[in-house]
Amino acid sequence: KNYFFSMFPIVTWIHRYNFQWLVRDLIAGATVGVVIVPQSMGYAKLAMLSPQYGLYTAFVGLCVYCLFATSKDISIGPTAVMSLLVGQTVTRVTTEYPSITGPQVAVVLSLMTGIIAMFIGLVRLGILVDFIPAPAIAGFMTGSAITITIGQCPKLFGIKGINTQDSAYLIFGNFFKNLPNTQVDVAFGLTGLLWLYGIRFACQKLTTRYPKYEKHLFYFSIMRNGILVIFGTLIAFLINIGKTTSPISILKTVPAGFQAMHVPVLTTELISAIASSLPSAVIILILEHVAIAKSFGRINDYQINPDQEIIAIGFTNIWAAFFGAYPSTGSFSRTAIKARSGVKTPIAGIFSALVVLLALYALTPAFYFIPDATLSAVVIHAVADLVSGPAYIKRLAKVSLWELFVFVAAVLITFFTSVEYGIYVSLGLSIVILLFRIARPRFWGLGRVPLSTSTGSNTSQKVQESEEIQKYLYVPTNHPSLGPLVEDLPAGILMCRIEESVTYPNSSFISDKIITYAKQNTRRHGAVISKGDRAWNDDADPVKEAARSQLPILHALIIDFSSVNRLDSSGLQSIADAKNTLNRYSGHDVEFHFTNLVQPSIRRSLIVAGFG
């Protein structure tokens, strides 16, 4: 019963719904609706589909999500990265299989990604999202945004004959090659970009200067997309009066209503054709949505349920397939607008859906004269926020060069190939780096730094004697700041620290490190062995061994387990093997001491292995 009701979070809050919430949801929903209508048509063109398919996708995503939502802010619908992937898939499949149409590919892709996401959510496998690091996400998002921007440039300039589904570097080269063929569309495109960015920055400056008008400036800034499309369409209509052929590229006929509603047709040929794109589509679907939902949950002080969100996005895409829509997920830009508009509940999505519905049934005749260059300007302006700026890259460089490498690799692979390969490469590199860090943990030999002495008391035979207690700080011998102050431990005693759980991927490495560290700092027992008496696998140099005769014999090894949270059977055996090797090397039983044991289970395992 609890599991069933957990899938419909709306039942936990709908009874508290009130008029004040309704007003705020209505304002936020209408605001997002004004933004999503032009964006969805632009994204549909990016997905190599007719504009109405973007409106279908927007309507279903906005309408259905509120039933399953655990986030009040997120706005579901067509997004730039998913549209790019759908467009690349449509181009590939329709080229290989001429009998398959673009809408068929989009519908089946929506259905299959929805089913897979729904399964992942129902069996509570949302934890898999945590294995994908932020630099990998930022990398293919940035690469996709750059690819989309370059892909929209030919339409922005009215240049025809360029395949905008090629790799970004090819589009970039062909764009400059065909730049002399620029048409009058460029006036609409560049003017549109200038308007969008000009209003945005002007509103930001004015908000800083006149804080009391913040709300008014915010809503005016949000309206900039709609105002651009309205005026662009009006001018396009005026210049087409009396002409049989339009001097600019325009949207043309957009069918009213839901013309593509049907039960999805599944064939083995169609499923096999899109199969290679399914993994990347599911990754984008889940990653974009969960990452945005978590981000705005932290900003607005509430928690989301990742598994429930995956169920929501899965069901939304299954349902969308029956409306002729293509895969949809959470949009960062529209979610930010929705949050700033003062949304109170997920029901705001229904009001956004009503705006889309109004556009589908009442405004489609007006869409005929929308310039393609204007829609390209809207798309470019929308995806610019997906690019990670210099500040993020500098922070990555300071924190981890490996993560910077993952980020750069994702951007370059996406730029030179496709968004699919960008996703696979970034995830593959992230997993390899994670496994390498587990398999090759840091190992430190420790020394001690004497601290100030303190006076203690010792009771012996009822006589108190004052004595000085020397305390020490134990740090790596090559510590960057305390290194010169580090002293050796008493002769025959060594101390080391392992900075990772000791498990089967790193057990052999840690065992070798312990043995090597002990042999470097102590000598073997007995006299130096002659060449004739040495074992075949003993690679010790007798001359060097003689020079090491001043080193002490190992008596005790202290291992700091403060960073060890798990010790499995392979790790336990590797430590036992290291002890046996050092016993033979030292000629007697070497005491192994373990300090800072953080888990009782580790203590029990060590006792079982005979270390107690």
Side-chain angles (χ1 to χ4, degrees), residues 330-392:
S331 163
F332 182 84
S333 60
R334 296 194 298 270
T335 300
I337 291 169
K338 192 175 175 184
R340 283 198 63 189
S341 300
V343 66
K344 295 299 291 184
T345 73
I347 284 181
I350 293 178
F351 299 117
S352 300
L354 292 176
V355 175
V356 176
L357 201 63
L358 176 67
L360 265 171
Y361 280 96
L363 301 179
T364 48
F367 293 159
Y368 186 91
F369 290 102
I370 295 177
D372 282 336
T374 299
L375 286 182
S376 292
V378 170
V379 171
I380 291 172
H381 181 64
V383 302
D385 290 332
L386 297 178
V387 177
S388 298
Y392 179 80

Side-chain angles (χ1 to χ4, degrees), residues 100-120:
I100 298 176
T101 64
Q104 284 179 312
V105 174
V107 166
V108 174
L109 198 60
S110 177
L111 180 65
M112 297 306 297
T113 53
I115 290 172
I116 295 170
M118 188 89 169
F119 172 77
I120 291 172

Side-chain angles (χ1 to χ4, degrees), residues 43-50 53 81-110 163-166 270 273-278 280-281 324-327 418-420:
Y43 288 155
K45 302 280 280 184
L46 183 61
M48 303 303 288
L49 299 169
S50 301
Y53 289 96
V81 180
M82 181 59 80
S83 299
L84 175 63
L85 179 61
V86 171
Q88 291 176 344
T89 305
V90 166
T91 302
R92 175 179 60 80
V93 172
T94 52
T95 303
E96 294 177 6
Y97 304 87
S99 61
I100 298 176
T101 64
Q104 284 179 312
V105 174
V107 166
V108 174
L109 198 60
S110 177
N163 182 6
T164 55
Q165 295 302 309
D166 278 337
L270 189 51
I274 68 164
S276 62
S277 297
L278 280 177
S280 54
Y326 67 90
S418 68
V419 66
E420 282 187 63

Side-chain angles (χ1 to χ4, degrees), residues 49 58 82 168 189 236 241 248 278 290 322 368 375 379 393-394 426 429 431 545 551 555 597:
L49 299 169
M82 181 59 80
I241 293 176
I248 62 170
L278 280 177
V290 174
F322 291 85
Y368 186 91
L375 286 182
V379 171
I393 297 171
K394 286 179 182 177
S426 61
L429 284 173
I431 292 170
E545 284 293 306
L551 292 175
H555 292 285
L597 298 178

Side-chain angles (χ1 to χ4, degrees), residues 392-441:
Y392 179 80
I393 297 171
K394 286 179 182 177
R395 190 169 77 240
L396 268 187
K398 291 178 180 178
V399 172
S400 171
L401 290 177
W402 282 113
E403 290 186 328
L404 178 63
F405 173 67
V406 170
F407 173 83
V408 172
V411 173
L412 292 178
I413 296 297
T414 303
F415 181 81
F416 285 103
T417 56
S418 68
V419 66
E420 282 187 63
Y421 292 126
I423 292 169
Y424 297 148
V425 167
S426 61
L427 296 187
L429 284 173
S430 300
I431 292 170
V432 168
I433 291 170
L434 174 65
L435 293 176
F436 182 80
R437 285 173 174 168
I438 294 172
R440 294 295 181 266

